[in-house]
């Protein structure tokens, strides 16, 4: 994995995130030298969903109200069905994601988290992938959906499912190290 020393990454999640889709990127990106903050609308802890039942709690480093995209190089959006469904009706969460995109920073979403890219309008005109059950939502939002493990489009990184997390993390690191993505016209 590429070196991410001096890089800061925000993982935005709430209760019901898919356990591995938060923990694997958190651990791999930290292992590459990045500072990674778990950010949530709630303080304290949030609880994951582990395949077919509630999983483990994860400590929240900062609340959504206390962070700014200005302080980070990338945002990572874990999936699961519950997490992105709750976040896509949270105006502050959507505004934060949009700000990362407007600042031409890396935005990465896995599994069902591309719902957040649909909700923010980021999906329109982009090459993307997602969990198969939301494929039509992504297409209806104007994205060019691909049946690939990981798809990158000028700083937008999407992945299908937890089985693709190693490649997802590698692509996030690569995109962060490329820097700002200045030519994002769809």
């Amino acid at each position: 994995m590429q070196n991410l020393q001096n890089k800061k990454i925000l993982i935005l999640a709430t209760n019901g995130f898919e356990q591995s889709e938060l923990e694997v990127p958190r651990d791999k990106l930290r292992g590459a030298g990045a500072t990674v903050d778990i950010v949530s609308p709630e303080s304290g802890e949030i609880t994951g969903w582990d395949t077919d039942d509630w999983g483990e709690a994860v400590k929240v480093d900062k609340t959504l109200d206390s962070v700014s995209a200005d302080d980070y190089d990338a945002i990572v959006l874990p999936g699961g069905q519950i997490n992105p469904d709750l976040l896509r009706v949270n105006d502050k969460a959507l505004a934060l994601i949009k700000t990362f995109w407007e600042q031409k920073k890396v935005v990465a979403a896995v599994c069902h988290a591309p719902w957040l890219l649909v909700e923010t309008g980021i999906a329109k005109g982009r090459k993307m992938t997602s969990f198969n059950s939301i494929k039509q939502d992504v297409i209806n939002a104007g994205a060019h959906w691909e049946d690939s493990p990981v798809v990158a489009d000028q700083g937008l990184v999407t992945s299908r499912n937890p089985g693709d997390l190693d490649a997802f993390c590698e692509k996030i690191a690569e995109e962060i190290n490329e820097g700002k993505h200045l030519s994002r016209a769809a």
Side-chain angles (χ1 to χ4, degrees), residues 139-170:
I139 292 169
N140 289 345
H144 307 288
W145 191 88
E146 293 182 19
D147 187 14
S148 300
V150 177
V151 174
D153 185 355
Q154 298 179 359
L156 181 65
V157 180
T158 52
S159 185
R160 288 188 302 215
N161 61 54
D164 303 320
L165 289 172
D166 286 345
F168 179 62
C169 294
E170 290 284 346

Side-chain angles (χ1 to χ4, degrees), residues 34-116:
T35 298
V36 180
D37 289 331
I38 306 301
V39 174
S40 180
E42 303 84 20
S43 61
E45 293 182 335
I46 52 175
T47 304
W49 187 261
D50 197 358
T51 311
D52 59 1
D53 201 355
W54 289 103
E56 300 295 318
V58 171
K59 180 185 173 294
V60 172
D61 298 307
K62 297 181 179 183
T63 62
L64 182 57
D65 289 333
S66 71
V67 297
S68 168
D70 296 341
D71 299 327
Y72 294 90
D73 298 290
I75 187 168
V76 176
L77 307 168
Q81 291 177 314
I82 300 167
N83 173 62
D85 200 39
L86 292 172
L87 289 175
R88 70 182 177 161
V89 295
N90 183 313
D91 291 338
K92 289 181 182 179
L94 297 175
L96 180 67
I97 296 164
K98 281 171 134 170
T99 301
F100 270 89
W101 186 249
E102 290 163 357
Q103 291 182 1
K104 303 187 182 336
K105 294 180 177 179
V106 174
V107 175
V110 61
C111 189
H112 286 76
W115 267 337
L116 296 164

